[in-house]
Amino acid sequence: HNAGSIIVTGGRVSTSERVQEKVKRLPKGKPLTLETFKSCGSSTSVRQAVSRLAKRGELVRVTKGVYARPKPVRHLRIAALPKPESVAKVIAKQNRELLAPHGADIARKLGLSTHVTMQNAFYTTGRTRKVPIGMGTIAFQHAPKYLIEQQGTPAGKALLALHHLGPRHVTDEMLGRMRARISCEEFRHVNKEKLPRWMRRVVETLESPLHAN
């Protein structure tokens, strides 16, 4: 029977109702994937239920396979989309990819470059691609796993910046700026095994106290 909006089939709550109840408990504006509702029913019925909620406006489709509970913007009639970084993390997790900040952003923060990326860009162990989100895009650029895995240290972040800059753009002045921000001790902990030859030479220069000013 049908009791208001609750659909009961054979004494059990339907997938649609389970999804709807779960959505009500989710924070507004946080990106999610269909994986969030896997305990609610079969993948087909979950997809249908989510699609219905999106049509009703209870969920917003951020990009393919990514949704969010709408978060109203004060004084405006539109809902705020989740931050690109949080969407990128959800997409990466969904595809079992590792994600890292883009080298251009790190280079700028380290004072090695003034280049500003015009879009939201990230390094990934997955394939290079652009994902539409709202009025813009998120750019995923493939980078080697051995670099992305070292992003948790200051020297590891510097490697990502070097990867972006490339050997032709690395100058003595730039190395001086790196030394001023990151100690030679940090560079000694870098796993140099898989680094390209030019990057290995840069790390060897930066890890040597003989070159420290």
Side-chain angles (χ1 to χ4, degrees), residues 94-161:
Q94 186 181 34
N95 295 320
R96 293 178 173 82
E97 300 171 56
L98 296 179
L99 201 67
H102 196 279
D105 295 326
I106 298 171
R108 196 175 68 255
K109 285 174 184 172
L110 288 174
L112 309 177
S113 167
T114 54
H115 176 71
V116 178
T117 47
M118 297 305 289
Q119 57 190 356
N120 302 293
F122 302 89
Y123 280 150
T124 176
T125 51
R127 61 189 173 84
T128 296
R129 64 205 189 272
K130 287 185 179 179
V131 175
I133 167 175
M135 299 295 285
T137 58
I138 297 176
F140 291 90
Q141 186 179 343
H142 178 79
K145 188 179 179 184
Y146 62 79
L147 287 180
I148 289 180
E149 284 178 334
Q150 299 193 63
Q151 67 173 300
T153 66
K157 281 193 170 68
L159 294 183
L160 292 172

Side-chain angles (χ1 to χ4, degrees), residues 63-76:
T63 189
K64 187 181 178 184
V66 181
Y67 298 84
R69 252 189 103 189
K71 187 177 184 179
V73 181
R74 213 173 162 188
H75 307 309
L76 293 175

